[in-house]
Amino acid sequence: MGHMSTLSSRQAEELHKSIIAYLSANNFAETAAALRAELNLGEDVFDAAVAKKYETLLEKKWTGVVRLQKKIMDLESRNAALQSELDNATPTSLSRRNQDPSSWLPRSARHSLESHRDPINCIAFHPIFSSIASGSDDYTIKIWDWELGELERTIKGHTRAVLDVDYGGPRGGILLASCSSDLTIKLWDPSDGYKNIRTLPGHDHSVSAVRFIPSGAVGAPSSGNLLVSASRDKTLKIWDVKSGYCVKTLHGHTGWVRDVCPSPDGRFLLTAGDDVTSRLWDISISNPENKLTTMVGHNHFIECCALAPPASYQYFAPLAGLKKPPPASSTAEFMATGSRDKTIKLWDAQGTCLKTLVGHDNWVRALTFHPGGRYLLSVSDDKTVRCWDLSQDGKCVKAIVDAHERFVTCLRWAPGIVKNAPAFHGSVAEGQNGEANGTPKSTATGLGIPDMQIRCVIATGGVDCKLRIFAN
């Protein structure tokens, strides 16, 4: 042979037989015969039956190599991600990781739930049960058990894509709200087989976001009877779910309002949209339009916004140049917005941009703060979930690459578990389902809000029609 073969004589023989088998199978009879003659591999040594075994070997190896190369590249990038996680880990963070929920970050999906026929646009966790709702372009809402990873039911009623879902309402009277491109908002009763108990018409274009507004009553983590919606008709509407009436319409945005986030005490609304602004409204006053903070800085449509929980104030304070964090009782001090310009921006309540987080390679579609306050999580059309560490100047400390096979559209953190609910005494608070309400014992937050134990569960939905549950 002209060149030194890197194959052993046995490997060479196998290769020769594979080539002959491949040629015979693909009707290159003359070439196969010529090769047999040159290699002295006549029918007596290498008959048709044996050749059959070798027929697809060459093709299998050929495609196998390509597949393995891709696999190696995937593993190398995953390895690099794990390595950087290790490099960033300190002995304390490693020992604490196991038990401390405030430093838990998602790793890999526990469940990947499939049933929707079209992209999933939105998800919402039930505040008490292990149910999660997802809304889709297929016009349906599906209710799943996120612990078991099972589909519980499919809800039909909307006549166009379902764009957002949210659970809320007074404790003991929890409802599911949904909104759609069919211009309506619908209310469903989970305690009655998710019956559609009310439809709220009023918007003149697609309703892109819907959220229950917390009541702000002491010791009541649950929301009251108000609901806010954001629409492509450029307005926000506030509804009374008991009566079904629209109690207020907020004008100010000059384009599609894509997202709305109420503060935990129900006093403020953070909104964002296609006019490339984010706005902070004080809805406790009669005309919120007059007292408005507008945040300007993104250079493309804003897809999502989130108010920072008081637990994060200690990490925001240095970014904002504050000596000490604002009080936890002040509920709308800092916020985050995510845009089609691929960036996330952090703001204070005066509308100052404190930081721009760069890392996503495509539109940023949803944001949620870690309940522990130290991290901000985001999802994007680049198919990743990213975790940003506010204690490290907003550095991206984790990216779950290929969290979905296609664009990731939505992200939610599971509600916490109420530990020692405060002891109630005294007067009965109105509208709280007759729960007695008084001055609760002081708790960890000093706010009279019951201690919440962080639940280490997040969910994401995507254009791949899959709902993924990441859990500890």
Side-chain angles (χ1 to χ4, degrees), residues 64-136:
V65 168
V66 177
R67 203 173 62 245
L68 285 169
Q69 278 175 325
K70 185 185 179 313
K71 183 91 181 149
I72 287 166
M73 284 166 72
D74 287 351
L75 286 169
E76 277 178 344
S77 76
R78 187 172 297 180
N79 195 21
L82 287 170
Q83 188 57 52
S84 84
E85 216 178 303
L86 274 178
D87 295 344
N88 284 320
T90 58
T92 50
S93 77
L94 285 172
S95 60
R96 274 172 57 231
R97 171 189 271 153
N98 298 329
Q99 66 271 26
D100 184 7
S102 65
S103 57
W104 178 82
L105 291 174
R107 291 180 81 82
S108 54
R110 180 199 286 186
H111 297 301
S112 184
L113 306 176
E114 295 177 64
S115 175
H116 279 295
R117 285 202 287 273
D118 287 305
I120 295 174
N121 297 315
C122 50
I123 44 184
F125 283 95
H126 190 289
I128 301 163
F129 305 135
S130 59
S131 298
I132 185 169
S134 58
S136 159

Side-chain angles (χ1 to χ4, degrees), residues 162-394:
V162 181
L163 301 180
D164 201 12
V165 283
D166 195 39
Y167 281 99
R171 233 173 173 65
I174 289 164
L175 300 172
L176 174 68
S178 61
C179 63
S180 162
S181 315
D182 66 13
L183 316 191
T184 70
I185 296 158
K186 286 183 180 286
L187 297 172
W188 315 84
D189 184 356
S191 67
D192 187 11
Y194 283 89
K195 194 171 99 193
N196 180 200
I197 55 166
R198 189 161 259 135
T199 298
L200 312 175
H203 279 294
D204 302 325
H205 212 317
S206 296
V207 190
S208 31
V210 67
R211 286 288 183 272
F212 281 92
I213 299 177
S215 66
V218 171
S222 59
S223 56
N225 296 319
L226 293 179
L227 185 73
V228 60
S229 57
S231 167
R232 196 172 174 176
D233 67 12
K234 307 177 190 171
T235 70
L236 295 144
K237 286 183 183 289
I238 297 173
W239 310 80
D240 181 323
V241 297
K242 282 269 196 282
S243 67
Y245 291 139
C246 172
V247 294
K248 192 171 266 176
T249 301
L250 301 175
H251 299 272
H253 277 286
T254 58
W256 186 341
V257 191
R258 289 189 181 264
D259 201 12
V260 58
C261 177
S263 63
D265 60 358
R267 182 178 162 187
F268 298 97
L269 296 177
L270 175 65
T271 61
D274 285 11
D275 61 9
V276 200
T277 71
S278 186
R279 292 163 196 249
L280 184 65
W281 314 72
D282 181 348
I283 54 171
S284 68
I285 59 176
S286 55
N287 39 359
E289 285 94 340
N290 299 347
K291 189 186 167 197
L292 193 65
T293 304
T294 304
M295 284 141 269
V296 185
H298 282 294
N299 50 37
H300 203 327
F301 300 162
I302 305 176
E303 287 278 344
C304 50
C305 57
L307 281 167
S312 68
Y313 293 179
Q314 56 175 311
Y315 305 110
F316 267 100
L319 297 175
L322 301 176
K323 292 225 167 27
K324 64 185 215 306
S329 55
S330 182
T331 58
E333 289 287 339
F334 303 105
M335 52 229 70
T337 53
S339 163
R340 291 189 183 183
D341 65 15
K342 308 179 189 174
T343 70
I344 296 162
K345 288 183 182 287
L346 306 178
W347 313 81
D348 66 14
Q350 287 69 55
T352 310
C353 180
L354 307 174
K355 192 93 199 152
T356 300
L357 308 180
V358 179
H360 279 298
D361 298 328
N362 211 329
W363 298 358
V364 181
R365 295 289 289 270
L367 298 167
T368 187
F369 280 94
H370 191 304
R374 181 176 159 185
Y375 303 97
L376 173 66
L377 276 71
S378 59
V379 298
S380 156
D381 281 0
D382 65 11
K383 308 181 202 165
T384 68
V385 177
R386 286 179 187 268
C387 308
W388 313 83
D389 187 342
L390 302 171
S391 73
Q392 295 189 59
D393 213 32

Side-chain angles (χ1 to χ4, degrees), residues 109 383-385 400-406 408 460 464 468 470:
K383 308 181 202 165
T384 68
V385 177
I400 301 173
V401 185
D402 291 326
H404 280 264
E405 283 136 57
R406 300 181 57 193
V408 194
T460 57
D464 58 8
R468 297 219 149 124
F470 296 80

